[in-house]
Amino acid sequence: PIPFNETTSLKVITLNCCSLRSLGKRARLKAMVDEHKPDIIIGCETHLDESYLSSEVFPQDYSIVRKDRCYGGGGVFLAISESIPFLDVSITTNSELIWAKISPIHGEPICICSFYRPPDTNINPMEDLKTALSTIANLSNIILAGDFNLPSIAWEDGIGQIQANPMYGREVNNMLLDIVNEFGLEQQVYECTRENHILDLVFVSQPNTVNEICTIPGMSDHDAVSFE
């Protein structure tokens, strides 16, 4: 498991919320937290803007780092247990990605990213992701997770293979695989997360530190992914 101290591992859930605006959706998020008790939540598609306070939306006992789209849809967040020391890693981009660095009592820091790529052919989010990874490339322990909306990539043993006539074009699909190869990341999710597609991905730089990864019922038309 991901080391936090000598006796503790971290439980992480990544999920597509498909809006946290309604009280019903916030209640579903709280129910997931109560059931699974994650240390870290990596989330996307909050659909929030500055009129929504984090204290009104997210469960208690978590520190929140978020980036809202502010013009409808989208939005990403990291919810980190208040017991875990972390730093907000400021990387300015126009895309929906945010980073935080947590510092285990023993072991090296872990840099965690929440990422959302809208379902289109725009390559800018991939370019911004590459720029961000270049900025933190000196850290050897990276967790990158979110909804990449690239259903035409088949994943096996951490390696992606683009299928014929890929959705959203070959360029954006190739860019993700190039990024994965350049930064030494391995994809860990092999169960479908929406219908018969693997859209919600988890990339890590140290796959031997991750186990017990599985899909669990989510709070939208996507399953969530849980791992330690």
Side-chain angles (χ1 to χ4, degrees):
I2 302 168
F4 182 56
N5 59 36
E6 290 181 340
T7 60
T8 307
S9 62
L10 295 179
K11 184 170 186 177
V12 183
I13 287 178
T14 179
L15 75 165
N16 181 311
C17 300
C18 196
S19 181
L20 286 172
R21 290 184 174 224
S22 72
L23 293 177
K25 277 298 190 72
R26 298 176 205 175
R28 290 176 68 179
L29 176 60
K30 184 179 185 303
M32 285 191 69
V33 168
D34 290 344
E35 178 180 358
H36 298 285
K37 297 177 173 54
D39 298 294
I40 297 172
I41 307 168
I42 302 172
C44 66
E45 283 221 83
T46 60
H47 298 190
L48 300 177
D49 57 38
E50 62 183 8
S51 68
Y52 293 87
L53 299 178
S54 292
S55 59
E56 298 173 330
V57 174
F58 297 97
Q60 295 180 349
D61 303 322
Y62 288 87
S63 301
I64 306 300
V65 182
R66 61 186 253 204
K67 182 176 183 179
D68 304 332
R69 186 184 291 178
C70 296
Y71 56 87
V76 291
F77 73 91
L78 294 167
I80 302 171
S81 170
E82 290 181 343
S83 65
I84 299 174
F86 76 96
L87 293 174
D88 181 359
V89 179
S90 179
I91 299 176
T92 302
T93 75
N94 292 321
S95 299
E96 288 160 274
L97 70 160
I98 50 171
W99 294 85
K101 182 173 72 172
I102 66 173
S103 301
I105 297 171
H106 301 283
E108 62 186 316
I110 305 169
C111 209
I112 300 176
C113 176
S114 178
F115 178 80
Y116 177 70
R117 194 196 77 83
D120 56 33
T121 60
N122 186 2
I123 64 171
N124 290 339
M126 288 301 177
E127 292 177 335
D128 287 341
L129 178 60
K130 181 177 180 179
T131 298
L133 283 165
S134 298
T135 302
I136 55 94
N138 61 317
L139 294 175
S140 62
N141 199 345
I142 295 170
I143 300 172
L144 161 65
D147 182 357
F148 284 73
N149 275 310
L150 290 173
S152 299
I153 300 179
W155 297 98
E156 184 174 353
D157 296 329
I159 307 300
Q161 181 70 39
I162 300 173
Q163 300 171 348
N165 302 313
M167 192 175 292
Y168 309 119
R170 186 163 291 276
E171 183 178 20
V172 69
N173 284 273
N174 276 329
M175 284 192 72
L176 177 58
L177 298 190
D178 289 344
I179 288 170
V180 169
N181 290 333
E182 179 174 349
F183 294 97
L185 303 175
E186 288 191 20
Q187 206 286 117
Q188 302 294 298
V189 182
Y190 303 112
E191 298 177 69
C192 295
T193 61
R194 184 177 184 271
E195 298 177 351
N196 61 338
H197 301 300
I198 304 175
L199 301 183
D200 305 87
L201 308 177
V202 175
F203 294 95
V204 297
S205 56
Q206 296 187 16
N208 61 315
T209 66
V210 177
N211 60 26
E212 298 184 19
I213 188 162
C214 63
T215 58
I216 58 176
M219 52 180 295
S220 68
D221 57 353
H222 293 241
D223 283 339
V225 178
S226 172
F227 61 98
E228 294 186 11

